[in-house]
């Protein structure tokens, strides 16, 4: 595989294009929004500059990486002769199904179609194409140039050949690929989201305060970040949507989002992106605890 297109140039798409280009793939970054493409190229350049200043890459590698990326808003010409498409567009079922139907029409027969979705079933995405055996999940982690894991998700109809090709290509990107089957939340979110939800329930029930919960998990379990701070970073709306995918997908109430999470999302407190979540980011610090009315209970003497 030599030529790759990445659809969607947001948080994940720019990182995915960066990693492919840095590892010698001719990469086209596609977005319907030209401003998003401009912003993505600026982000890639900034991240490469940081790597250069740290000595992780040479100036020649920086230039080679930038030269390997082109941008486009024309899907037809951008996927006409590619070996692989990685879709990283907005997490919305209708948008993704429309993109994959179009890709199936536009791409040559050889092209593998991968999705970076966090929660939409790969089997469902594959079912709208005439090549479900060539449709697979390539779930990169944020920030893509830094995080080692690619969770490779095998849809019900994904072939061995496609799976092997993507596992081996992930290695050439310097990543560690792990194969999992297509079930709600895959492995990453099936385990992470219930942990975050349980942390929110602990706060809601007054077992402990925001900082106490995060401190226990950071210092006690050696997590680099507490679950409530992590939820703020992921986006509380994203956590809420993924929990609902697990809840509906398994039909099991243990995955139902905590009422406090539902309220915070309804109120527009989405975490870092809205400036407020479990912490307040409006002052550039996380000192003010928004959900402070859910304090830890007073100790009985
Ligand atoms: N953000 C994360 O931490 C994270 C982690 C793992 C996986 N993901 C998954 O990655 C995907 C992208 O997430 P993101 O956070 O980068 O989203 P984002 O909102 O930052 O970017 C999405 C981009 O897709 C573009 N887009 C929308 N419809 C399009 C179309 N039809 N054609 C081309 N471009 C289109 C938008 O203009 C936008 O620039 C989602 O499926 C998400 O679940 C996100």
């Amino acid at each position: 595989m030599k030529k790759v297109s990445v659809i969607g140039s947001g948080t994940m798409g720019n990182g995915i294009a960066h990693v492919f280009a840095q590892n010698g793939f001719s990469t086209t970054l596609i977005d319907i929004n030209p401003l998003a493409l401009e912003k993505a190229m600026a982000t890639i350049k900034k991240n490469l500059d940081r790597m250069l200043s740290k000595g992780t890459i040479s100036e020649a590698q920086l230039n080679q990486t930038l030269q390997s990326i082109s941008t486009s808003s024309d899907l037809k010409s951008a996927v006409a002769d590619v070996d692989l498409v990685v879709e990283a567009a907005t997490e919305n079922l209708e948008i993704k199904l429309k993109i994959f139907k179009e890709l199936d029409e536009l791409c040559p027969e050889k092209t593998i179609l991968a999705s970076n979705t966090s929660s939409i079933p790969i089997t469902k995405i594959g079912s709208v194409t005439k090549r479900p055996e060539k449709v697979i999940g390539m779930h990169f982690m944020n920030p893509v140039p830094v995080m080692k894991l690619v969770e490779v998700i095998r849809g019900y109809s994904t072939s061995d050949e496609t799976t092997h090709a993507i596992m081996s290509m992930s290695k050439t990107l310097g990543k560690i690929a792990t194969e999992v089957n297509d079930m709600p939340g895959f492995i990453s979110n099936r385990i992470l989201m219930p942990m975050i939800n349980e942390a929110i329930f602990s706060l809601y029930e007054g077992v402990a305060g925001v900082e106490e919960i995060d401190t226990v998990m950071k210092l006690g379990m050696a997590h680099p970040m507490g679950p409530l701070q992590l939820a703020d970073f992921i986006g509380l709306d994203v956590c809420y949507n993924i929990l609902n995918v697990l809840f509906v997908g398994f039909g099991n109430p243990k995955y139902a989002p905590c009422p406090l999470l539902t309220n915070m999302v309804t109120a527009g407190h989405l975490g870092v992106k809205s400036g407020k979540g479990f912490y307040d980011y409006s002052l550039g610090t996380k000192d003010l605890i928004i959900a402070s009315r859910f304090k830890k209970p007073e100790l009985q003497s």
Side-chain angles (χ1 to χ4, degrees):
M1 291 197 202
K2 283 273 157 250
K3 289 183 83 173
V4 173
S5 282
V6 178
I7 302 184
S9 66
T11 312
M12 297 304 285
N14 81 65
I16 295 169
H18 170 152
V19 168
F20 273 107
Q22 197 183 323
N23 287 284
F25 292 86
S26 166
T27 308
T28 307
L29 186 53
I30 304 163
D31 205 292
I32 41 169
N33 178 358
L35 282 179
L37 286 172
E38 261 177 50
K39 204 172 146 210
M41 288 311 294
T43 304
I44 294 171
K45 173 92 176 51
K46 194 179 75 195
N47 289 338
L48 286 167
D49 283 340
R50 192 182 309 119
M51 291 168 92
L52 178 66
S53 67
K54 281 189 182 164
T56 325
I57 55 167
S58 66
E59 189 141 12
Q61 282 172 306
L62 182 149
N63 291 328
Q64 172 267 315
T65 304
L66 286 176
Q67 277 161 20
S68 300
I69 308 180
S70 55
T71 59
S72 174
S73 284
D74 177 31
L75 188 64
K76 190 172 180 187
S77 60
V79 301
D81 183 31
V82 290
D83 301 300
L84 170 69
V85 177
V86 182
E87 172 277 317
T90 312
E91 185 78 345
N92 172 292
L93 181 66
E94 282 73 42
I95 290 177
K96 300 224 190 252
L97 296 187
K98 184 168 178 285
I99 290 174
F100 275 79
K101 267 187 209 157
E102 279 175 28
L103 288 174
D104 195 33
E105 302 282 319
L106 299 171
C107 293
E109 211 177 301
K110 65 173 181 180
T111 311
I112 293 179
L113 307 180
S115 176
N116 185 51
T117 178
S118 304
S119 62
I120 295 171
I122 299 302
T123 309
K124 175 106 186 151
I125 294 175
S127 72
V128 300
T129 73
K130 293 187 197 76
R131 61 178 96 190
E133 73 289 349
K134 286 201 171 74
V135 175
I136 194 161
M138 249 185 130
H139 188 202
F140 290 87
M141 305 291 136
N142 186 18
V144 184
V146 177
M147 298 292 278
K148 279 280 171 205
L149 179 70
V150 182
E151 190 178 25
V152 174
I153 301 123
R154 249 190 112 116
Y156 190 80
S157 309
T158 310
S159 68
D160 287 345
E161 199 187 347
T162 301
T163 309
H164 294 154
I166 293 302
M167 294 290 290
S168 119
M169 122 108 50
S170 302
K171 271 187 214 138
T172 66
L173 297 177
K175 302 292 183 198
I176 293 169
T178 304
E179 184 186 330
V180 312
N181 285 324
D182 186 25
M183 282 288 149
F186 318 132
I187 284 295
S188 48
N189 284 320
R190 180 172 181 166
I191 295 173
L192 176 64
M193 289 301 158
M195 184 190 73
I196 286 176
N197 204 31
E198 205 56 37
I200 302 171
F201 265 111
S202 305
L203 179 69
Y204 173 65
E205 290 167 8
V207 182
V210 171
E211 281 186 325
E212 288 79 3
I213 292 169
D214 276 357
T215 301
V216 167
M217 297 307 285
K218 270 192 291 187
L219 302 186
M221 316 300 156
H223 289 191
M225 197 183 275
L228 298 175
Q229 192 184 3
L230 180 57
D232 275 356
F233 271 90
I234 293 171
L236 299 192
D237 51 339
V238 174
C239 295
Y240 174 81
N241 289 336
I242 298 177
L243 279 162
N244 273 317
V245 166
L246 293 169
F247 180 34
V248 173
F250 289 113
N252 187 334
K254 79 174 176 178
Y255 297 109
C258 174
L260 173 59
L261 176 63
T262 308
N263 266 357
M264 290 175 79
V265 172
T266 309
H269 289 202
L270 306 180
V272 176
K273 66 178 147 190
S274 72
K276 281 178 186 173
F278 294 105
Y279 298 90
D280 187 342
Y281 302 89
S282 58
L283 302 171
T285 67
K286 59 172 189 64
D287 290 338
L288 178 64
I289 295 167
I290 287 299
S292 58
R293 63 183 180 280
F294 297 99
K295 280 276 187 214
K296 70 174 191 290
E298 294 302 320
L299 285 179
Q300 303 296 314
S301 56

